[in-house]
Amino acid sequence: MKLSISDKLVKVFAYAIIGFFAIICLYPLIMVVSVSFSSNTVVLKNGYSVLPQAPTLETYQYLFAHSGVRILKSYAVTIFTTVVGTVLAMIMTSMIAFALSIKSLKYRNIIAYICNFTIVFSAGLIPWYYVCVNWYGFTDSFKGLIIPSMFSVWNMFLMRTYFSAIPESLYESARIDGASYFDIYCKIALPLSKTAILTVGMMYALCYWNDWWNALMFMNDRDKFPLQYFLYNILSNINAISSGRIPSGAAANIKLPSETVKMAVTVITIGPIIFLYPFIQKYFVEGIMTGAVKE
């Protein structure tokens, strides 16, 4: 079907607007990468730029020369907690969501109300910390990096929306054939909810990958620091030295890439996510749009 001139103009205008917003979104990322490869002295003098100023690898050399082994260890800790945490979180979230999607479940509304209640009200930071440390033993344990983020009520309700959209006749047919609810969950509900699994799984993975709060609360062993928290410590130390909070005699001869290191740390942390996200972006967007439809 041939497009009219007005349709072509609208299409061109739409592409122009979308392209403009894409450039706006891409601009900060380009600047971050550019500054990370720039000379810290030139950046302090001229400010940030989209193009590298006096291109150099000195910032990355500084990071990996002084902390290369620990950065790799932190990467390993982060990958471990992200993979294990995401798998466990998806198992728990999907099971609860599937159970709440079954309308014949006894006390279904009460359970949903209790879940909703935890979104609005909480005991507070001090009771939470006391219970996690004294009762659950999260101090210097990988449990402290995984369990606190293992369940999200919002993600659970998002998955429940998917499960609720599956025709009940499929469940009834399976029940007539002798299938248990666990069989229905594994063989019917999960295969028909791949989009939801990828969407919620991506959310959990990002949560674990970017988490530094749990490490701040529970971790004293530097060998168990996740990447985000370890780089946060490096950045804090550099800022402390650069700001003069350390006595002048101790820092008089220390010249640190205080500005460019911030951008280099950002590149190191978001690099894997940038490469992974394009492969599941389609499912992520589809999942958010579909999950936003109310029952």
mmCIF file of all heavy atoms in Angstrom, residues 128-147:
data_model
loop_
_atom_site.group_PDB
_atom_site.id
_atom_site.type_symbol
_atom_site.label_atom_id
_atom_site.label_comp_id
_atom_site.label_asym_id
_atom_site.label_seq_id
_atom_site.Cartn_x
_atom_site.Cartn_y
_atom_site.Cartn_z
ATOM 1 N N TRP A 128 15.704 -4.657 61.234
ATOM 2 C CA TRP A 128 16.105 -5.497 60.099
ATOM 3 C C TRP A 128 17.555 -5.938 60.236
ATOM 4 O O TRP A 128 17.885 -7.115 60.058
ATOM 5 C CB TRP A 128 15.906 -4.723 58.801
ATOM 6 C CG TRP A 128 16.415 -5.398 57.574
ATOM 7 C CD1 TRP A 128 15.817 -6.393 56.859
ATOM 8 C CD2 TRP A 128 17.665 -5.141 56.895
ATOM 9 N NE1 TRP A 128 16.597 -6.765 55.786
ATOM 10 C CE2 TRP A 128 17.735 -6.014 55.789
ATOM 11 C CE3 TRP A 128 18.702 -4.249 57.123
ATOM 12 C CZ2 TRP A 128 18.812 -6.018 54.917
ATOM 13 C CZ3 TRP A 128 19.790 -4.256 56.254
ATOM 14 C CH2 TRP A 128 19.823 -5.128 55.166
ATOM 15 N N TYR A 129 18.440 -5.012 60.575
ATOM 16 C CA TYR A 129 19.858 -5.334 60.721
ATOM 17 C C TYR A 129 20.078 -6.294 61.888
ATOM 18 O O TYR A 129 20.850 -7.249 61.777
ATOM 19 C CB TYR A 129 20.657 -4.053 60.933
ATOM 20 C CG TYR A 129 22.139 -4.276 61.104
ATOM 21 C CD1 TYR A 129 22.963 -4.492 60.001
ATOM 22 C CD2 TYR A 129 22.720 -4.294 62.374
ATOM 23 C CE1 TYR A 129 24.323 -4.716 60.159
ATOM 24 C CE2 TYR A 129 24.065 -4.512 62.540
ATOM 25 C CZ TYR A 129 24.868 -4.726 61.429
ATOM 26 O OH TYR A 129 26.214 -4.947 61.590
ATOM 27 N N TYR A 130 19.383 -6.055 62.998
ATOM 28 C CA TYR A 130 19.536 -6.911 64.177
ATOM 29 C C TYR A 130 19.137 -8.351 63.854
ATOM 30 O O TYR A 130 19.851 -9.300 64.211
ATOM 31 C CB TYR A 130 18.685 -6.363 65.324
ATOM 32 C CG TYR A 130 18.747 -7.205 66.575
ATOM 33 C CD1 TYR A 130 19.780 -7.034 67.499
ATOM 34 C CD2 TYR A 130 17.783 -8.186 66.829
ATOM 35 C CE1 TYR A 130 19.841 -7.810 68.648
ATOM 36 C CE2 TYR A 130 17.845 -8.966 67.969
ATOM 37 C CZ TYR A 130 18.874 -8.776 68.877
ATOM 38 O OH TYR A 130 18.950 -9.559 69.999
ATOM 39 N N VAL A 131 18.007 -8.513 63.188
ATOM 40 C CA VAL A 131 17.539 -9.862 62.845
ATOM 41 C C VAL A 131 18.496 -10.535 61.873
ATOM 42 O O VAL A 131 18.841 -11.724 62.039
ATOM 43 C CB VAL A 131 16.115 -9.794 62.247
ATOM 44 C CG1 VAL A 131 15.722 -11.139 61.656
ATOM 45 C CG2 VAL A 131 15.104 -9.371 63.304
ATOM 46 N N CYS A 132 18.941 -9.814 60.854
ATOM 47 C CA CYS A 132 19.830 -10.403 59.844
ATOM 48 C C CYS A 132 21.172 -10.833 60.437
ATOM 49 O O CYS A 132 21.712 -11.879 60.071
ATOM 50 C CB CYS A 132 20.070 -9.399 58.708
ATOM 51 S SG CYS A 132 18.629 -9.095 57.663
ATOM 52 N N VAL A 133 21.710 -10.043 61.360
ATOM 53 C CA VAL A 133 23.029 -10.336 61.922
ATOM 54 C C VAL A 133 22.952 -11.342 63.058
ATOM 55 O O VAL A 133 23.711 -12.326 63.094
ATOM 56 C CB VAL A 133 23.707 -9.026 62.397
ATOM 57 C CG1 VAL A 133 24.989 -9.336 63.176
ATOM 58 C CG2 VAL A 133 24.021 -8.134 61.219
ATOM 59 N N ASN A 134 22.031 -11.143 63.991
ATOM 60 C CA ASN A 134 22.002 -11.966 65.202
ATOM 61 C C ASN A 134 21.194 -13.245 65.042
ATOM 62 O O ASN A 134 21.473 -14.240 65.726
ATOM 63 C CB ASN A 134 21.444 -11.146 66.367
ATOM 64 C CG ASN A 134 22.370 -10.016 66.770
ATOM 65 O OD1 ASN A 134 23.371 -10.224 67.446
ATOM 66 N ND2 ASN A 134 22.064 -8.808 66.348
ATOM 67 N N TRP A 135 20.194 -13.249 64.204
ATOM 68 C CA TRP A 135 19.379 -14.446 64.031
ATOM 69 C C TRP A 135 19.788 -15.264 62.810
ATOM 70 O O TRP A 135 19.844 -16.488 62.874
ATOM 71 C CB TRP A 135 17.901 -14.075 63.922
ATOM 72 C CG TRP A 135 17.306 -13.608 65.218
ATOM 73 C CD1 TRP A 135 17.982 -13.259 66.357
ATOM 74 C CD2 TRP A 135 15.911 -13.459 65.512
ATOM 75 N NE1 TRP A 135 17.105 -12.883 67.329
ATOM 76 C CE2 TRP A 135 15.812 -12.995 66.854
ATOM 77 C CE3 TRP A 135 14.751 -13.643 64.789
ATOM 78 C CZ2 TRP A 135 14.606 -12.731 67.457
ATOM 79 C CZ3 TRP A 135 13.540 -13.384 65.394
ATOM 80 C CH2 TRP A 135 13.460 -12.936 66.719
ATOM 81 N N TYR A 136 20.042 -14.578 61.710
ATOM 82 C CA TYR A 136 20.322 -15.285 60.454
ATOM 83 C C TYR A 136 21.809 -15.449 60.167
ATOM 84 O O TYR A 136 22.175 -16.217 59.290
ATOM 85 C CB TYR A 136 19.656 -14.560 59.284
ATOM 86 C CG TYR A 136 18.153 -14.480 59.386
ATOM 87 C CD1 TYR A 136 17.462 -13.407 58.836
ATOM 88 C CD2 TYR A 136 17.423 -15.461 60.034
ATOM 89 C CE1 TYR A 136 16.079 -13.323 58.927
ATOM 90 C CE2 TYR A 136 16.049 -15.391 60.140
ATOM 91 C CZ TYR A 136 15.378 -14.320 59.584
ATOM 92 O OH TYR A 136 14.011 -14.231 59.681
ATOM 93 N N GLY A 137 22.658 -14.729 60.881
ATOM 94 C CA GLY A 137 24.106 -14.895 60.701
ATOM 95 C C GLY A 137 24.616 -14.483 59.338
ATOM 96 O O GLY A 137 25.381 -15.219 58.703
ATOM 97 N N PHE A 138 24.204 -13.306 58.888
ATOM 98 C CA PHE A 138 24.605 -12.838 57.561
ATOM 99 C C PHE A 138 26.002 -12.222 57.525
ATOM 100 O O PHE A 138 26.534 -11.972 56.444
ATOM 101 C CB PHE A 138 23.602 -11.799 57.058
ATOM 102 C CG PHE A 138 22.298 -12.394 56.593
ATOM 103 C CD1 PHE A 138 21.239 -11.572 56.240
ATOM 104 C CD2 PHE A 138 22.129 -13.765 56.502
ATOM 105 C CE1 PHE A 138 20.034 -12.109 55.811
ATOM 106 C CE2 PHE A 138 20.924 -14.312 56.071
ATOM 107 C CZ PHE A 138 19.880 -13.475 55.732
ATOM 108 N N THR A 139 26.613 -11.964 58.668
ATOM 109 C CA THR A 139 27.909 -11.294 58.690
ATOM 110 C C THR A 139 28.973 -12.137 57.996
ATOM 111 O O THR A 139 29.177 -13.312 58.328
ATOM 112 C CB THR A 139 28.345 -11.010 60.142
ATOM 113 O OG1 THR A 139 27.335 -10.232 60.794
ATOM 114 C CG2 THR A 139 29.659 -10.243 60.160
ATOM 115 N N ASP A 140 29.654 -11.521 57.018
ATOM 116 C CA ASP A 140 30.728 -12.181 56.250
ATOM 117 C C ASP A 140 30.280 -13.508 55.659
ATOM 118 O O ASP A 140 31.041 -14.477 55.595
ATOM 119 C CB ASP A 140 31.969 -12.393 57.127
ATOM 120 C CG ASP A 140 32.756 -11.115 57.337
ATOM 121 O OD1 ASP A 140 32.662 -10.219 56.492
ATOM 122 O OD2 ASP A 140 33.453 -11.010 58.364
ATOM 123 N N SER A 141 29.045 -13.570 55.238
ATOM 124 C CA SER A 141 28.513 -14.773 54.594
ATOM 125 C C SER A 141 27.843 -14.377 53.284
ATOM 126 O O SER A 141 27.239 -13.303 53.193
ATOM 127 C CB SER A 141 27.510 -15.466 55.513
ATOM 128 O OG SER A 141 26.839 -16.502 54.834
ATOM 129 N N PHE A 142 27.958 -15.252 52.294
ATOM 130 C CA PHE A 142 27.304 -14.967 51.013
ATOM 131 C C PHE A 142 25.784 -14.940 51.151
ATOM 132 O O PHE A 142 25.098 -14.394 50.289
ATOM 133 C CB PHE A 142 27.711 -16.008 49.969
ATOM 134 C CG PHE A 142 29.109 -15.821 49.452
ATOM 135 C CD1 PHE A 142 30.087 -16.770 49.683
ATOM 136 C CD2 PHE A 142 29.452 -14.679 48.740
ATOM 137 C CE1 PHE A 142 31.381 -16.594 49.214
ATOM 138 C CE2 PHE A 142 30.735 -14.491 48.261
ATOM 139 C CZ PHE A 142 31.711 -15.450 48.506
ATOM 140 N N LYS A 143 25.282 -15.509 52.249
ATOM 141 C CA LYS A 143 23.846 -15.412 52.503
ATOM 142 C C LYS A 143 23.406 -13.957 52.598
ATOM 143 O O LYS A 143 22.310 -13.595 52.185
ATOM 144 C CB LYS A 143 23.482 -16.145 53.799
ATOM 145 C CG LYS A 143 23.689 -17.628 53.771
ATOM 146 C CD LYS A 143 23.185 -18.264 55.064
ATOM 147 C CE LYS A 143 23.960 -17.765 56.270
ATOM 148 N NZ LYS A 143 23.513 -18.426 57.525
ATOM 149 N N GLY A 144 24.283 -13.128 53.169
ATOM 150 C CA GLY A 144 23.963 -11.719 53.327
ATOM 151 C C GLY A 144 23.893 -10.963 52.024
ATOM 152 O O GLY A 144 23.288 -9.881 51.952
ATOM 153 N N LEU A 145 24.509 -11.504 50.965
ATOM 154 C CA LEU A 145 24.461 -10.858 49.647
ATOM 155 C C LEU A 145 23.308 -11.372 48.800
ATOM 156 O O LEU A 145 22.935 -10.727 47.821
ATOM 157 C CB LEU A 145 25.778 -11.098 48.900
ATOM 158 C CG LEU A 145 27.050 -10.553 49.545
ATOM 159 C CD1 LEU A 145 28.261 -10.925 48.699
ATOM 160 C CD2 LEU A 145 26.974 -9.046 49.736
ATOM 161 N N ILE A 146 22.748 -12.528 49.167
ATOM 162 C CA ILE A 146 21.736 -13.167 48.327
ATOM 163 C C ILE A 146 20.336 -13.076 48.931
ATOM 164 O O ILE A 146 19.398 -12.605 48.284
ATOM 165 C CB ILE A 146 22.112 -14.641 48.087
ATOM 166 C CG1 ILE A 146 23.406 -14.728 47.269
ATOM 167 C CG2 ILE A 146 20.981 -15.375 47.363
ATOM 168 C CD1 ILE A 146 23.937 -16.142 47.090
ATOM 169 N N ILE A 147 20.179 -13.495 50.181
ATOM 170 C CA ILE A 147 18.839 -13.647 50.761
ATOM 171 C C ILE A 147 18.065 -12.336 50.882
ATOM 172 O O ILE A 147 16.867 -12.297 50.563
ATOM 173 C CB ILE A 147 18.937 -14.363 52.120
ATOM 174 C CG1 ILE A 147 19.439 -15.801 51.912
ATOM 175 C CG2 ILE A 147 17.588 -14.371 52.834
ATOM 176 C CD1 ILE A 147 19.610 -16.597 53.191
#
